[in-house]
Amino acid sequence: MIFAIDRVAISIGSFDIYWYGILIFTGMLCAYFLANHEMVKKGFEDGTLTDMMFYIIIFSLVGARLYFVLFNLNYYLSHPADVIKVWEGGMAIHGGLIGGFLAGLYYTKKHNYSLFQFGDMLMPSVLLGQAIGRWGNFINQEAHGGEVSREFLEKLHLPEFIINQMNIDGIYYHPTFLYESIWNVLGIVLLILLRPKLKIGQTFLLYLIYYSIGRFFIEGMRTDSLMIFGLLRTAQVMSLSLIILGIVLWIYRNKKYDLPLYGDVYGNFKTFNKKKKRK
């Protein structure tokens, strides 16, 4: 007998708490603790990130929802009340990243901090939040790939609860949420291992490149992609753009600035844009 996981985690009277919201919140909380540990280790006062997280959470959630709504505008113009129904899904990660970046830009400019060093400290945590948040898509039975057989899923040695949840109306689907979650976890390990040996800003840029490569290929497997003019997958276009941007900024900053290694910098957060001397 196949039992799908109920999207509602807790019901209190007529008020429902959804697994989707719980997992998004859990991802943010875990990301906060990982990032805060790194920031304190680098010399920030404990609590600095708390101030910044206020902006990041608000901007990220609003950005993620607006991005999704804009690329489904015809539907939401006809059903405006559904715009606020975030518990039903419909949070685009690229929109959240844009919102989070704008929040970080505002906060670092306001306090005269180095945006790139903040990015270096936060990116492994962002991947952690994304890895956990994808399980909200799993509960909602969304963000999946094309049709597969049960035998295919069994060959992946997946636990029974994942196989059952990938059965939607009698059809089994690729668990692309899981592929991306695993890709993100591997990315956390990669960034943390390489970060001490990279220059200021390069961990942030490596995140853009690494995440976007995985997202590009995984997005190609999905059946519910947001589309541009019904022709191009929005996430793939965005991923290619971020890969190119990351590479260009990496080369540009490395040539123009004399940047220290991330692992060598403690207690200096103002600027690392010391121009290289012309030879």
Side-chain angles (χ1 to χ4, degrees):
M1 191 103 180
I2 295 173
F3 295 97
I5 301 172
D6 194 334
R7 292 191 304 158
V8 178
I10 304 170
S11 291
I12 305 173
S14 60
F15 180 72
D16 294 329
I17 299 176
Y18 289 79
W19 280 113
Y20 186 86
I22 291 174
L23 287 163
I24 294 294
F25 176 76
T26 300
M28 289 183 169
L29 194 63
C30 291
Y32 167 80
F33 284 119
L34 179 61
N36 190 64
H37 172 77
E38 179 64 18
M39 291 182 70
V40 171
K41 188 172 75 173
K42 295 298 286 185
F44 278 90
E45 291 184 7
D46 193 7
T48 301
L49 184 59
T50 305
D51 297 334
M52 188 179 187
M53 282 297 291
F54 171 79
Y55 298 102
I56 291 177
I57 290 174
I58 298 299
F59 277 61
S60 295
L61 292 177
V62 172
R65 187 58 174 174
L66 282 180
Y67 189 97
F68 184 84
V69 169
L70 286 173
F71 284 99
N72 290 278
L73 196 56
N74 288 336
Y75 172 83
Y76 287 105
L77 285 175
S78 301
H79 305 82
D82 288 354
V83 171
I84 64 171
K85 295 181 180 180
V86 295
W87 54 87
E88 295 183 353
M91 302 286 280
I93 285 180
H94 279 128
L97 293 177
I98 293 171
F101 174 79
L102 292 175
L105 181 62
Y106 168 77
Y107 186 85
T108 53
K109 286 290 185 183
K110 180 179 178 181
H111 295 277
N112 194 29
Y113 288 136
S114 165
L115 174 65
F116 282 98
Q117 191 193 24
F118 264 68
D120 290 343
M121 290 186 285
L122 296 180
M123 286 309 106
S125 305
V126 171
L127 277 175
L128 177 60
Q130 290 174 290
I132 296 172
R134 273 300 176 203
W135 287 83
N137 298 131
F138 163 70
I139 299 294
N140 281 358
Q141 295 182 311
E142 61 188 7
H144 57 71
E147 182 178 344
V148 296
S149 66
R150 180 181 176 89
E151 289 71 28
F152 173 84
L153 297 177
E154 289 174 343
K155 287 179 181 178
L156 296 179
H157 302 290
L158 298 177
E160 192 68 19
F161 78 93
I162 292 181
I163 294 176
N164 287 341
Q165 195 70 3
M166 286 296 97
N167 183 307
I168 305 171
D169 297 326
I171 300 174
Y172 290 95
Y173 292 94
H174 265 295
T176 47
F177 85 92
L178 180 62
Y179 305 156
E180 186 171 332
S181 185
I182 292 173
W183 179 258
N184 290 342
V185 170
L186 294 175
I188 296 168
V189 176
L190 177 70
L191 293 188
I192 289 177
L193 289 178
L194 293 182
R195 184 166 56 184
K197 302 176 180 64
L198 295 175
K199 296 179 180 179
I200 293 295
Q202 290 180 343
T203 303
F204 171 57
L205 298 177
L206 180 59
Y207 161 81
L208 292 182
I209 297 167
Y210 174 88
Y211 172 71
S212 298
I213 290 173
R215 181 62 188 274
F216 179 86
F217 288 104
I218 293 170
E219 189 67 25
M221 302 173 66
R222 286 176 53 172
T223 60
D224 61 346
S225 299
L226 299 177
M227 305 294 288
I228 300 176
F229 305 123
L231 300 172
L232 301 172
R233 295 175 188 262
T234 305
Q236 287 189 314
V237 173
M238 181 65 75
S239 294
L240 280 177
S241 301
L242 291 177
I243 291 169
I244 294 170
L245 177 64
I247 293 172
V248 169
L249 284 177
W250 187 301
I251 294 171
Y252 171 78
R253 284 174 53 79
N254 198 48
K255 284 186 175 182
K256 185 171 183 179
Y257 300 117
D258 185 16
L259 300 168
L261 293 176
Y262 175 87
D264 292 341
V265 176
Y266 292 86
N268 177 15
F269 316 109
K270 299 302 180 184
T271 181
F272 298 101
N273 291 341
K274 180 181 177 183
K275 292 185 178 180
K276 286 185 175 179
K277 295 180 180 179
R278 291 183 179 179
K279 294 184 179 179

